[in-house]
Amino acid sequence: MFRFSIRDVLWLTAVVALGVALWLEHRRLVAANFALHEEQADLRMAELRARELREQVILPTNPEVQFRTWERRGWERPRPVEE
């Protein structure tokens, strides 16, 4: 049968407390990192939407939308090549 002194129990308590503290800190850092990546993704999407609204990026769904955007900017609509 094992016998533990007070000193052994105090060392064991200190080691377990240190392990739990490191584990809790790791969990907090992982959650903060995940939140940061989510916020960065939201900011990138907001920037893309803002650029699209300022017409710096044109994402047409069909050719007519693209031509109307060109006309709004004052560009000439491309004419078909005649043979």
Side-chain angles (χ1 to χ4, degrees):
M1 182 180 227
F2 294 107
R3 291 190 167 246
F4 296 105
S5 67
I6 298 281
R7 183 185 64 187
D8 296 333
V9 173
L10 289 176
W11 272 110
L12 179 63
T13 304
V15 169
V16 169
L18 181 61
V20 169
L22 288 174
W23 178 68
L24 289 174
E25 180 67 13
H26 174 72
R27 282 186 51 196
R28 186 188 67 79
L29 288 175
V30 167
N33 191 23
F34 180 76
L36 179 64
H37 283 290
E38 288 288 315
E39 185 176 343
Q40 285 176 342
D42 290 343
L43 288 173
R44 281 193 299 267
M45 285 303 297
E47 182 181 352
L48 285 175
R49 286 189 189 113
R51 286 177 59 199
E52 184 179 4
L53 288 175
R54 289 191 313 250
E55 295 182 351
Q56 290 180 358
V57 174
I58 303 169
L59 303 172
T61 55
N62 63 37
E64 278 303 309
V65 172
Q66 186 176 7
F67 291 142
R68 284 198 304 267
T69 304
W70 287 355
E71 290 168 353
R72 232 185 345 213
R73 288 183 174 184
W75 296 348
E76 187 174 316
R77 185 178 197 170
R79 290 180 174 65
V81 177
E82 296 177 11
E83 296 180 21

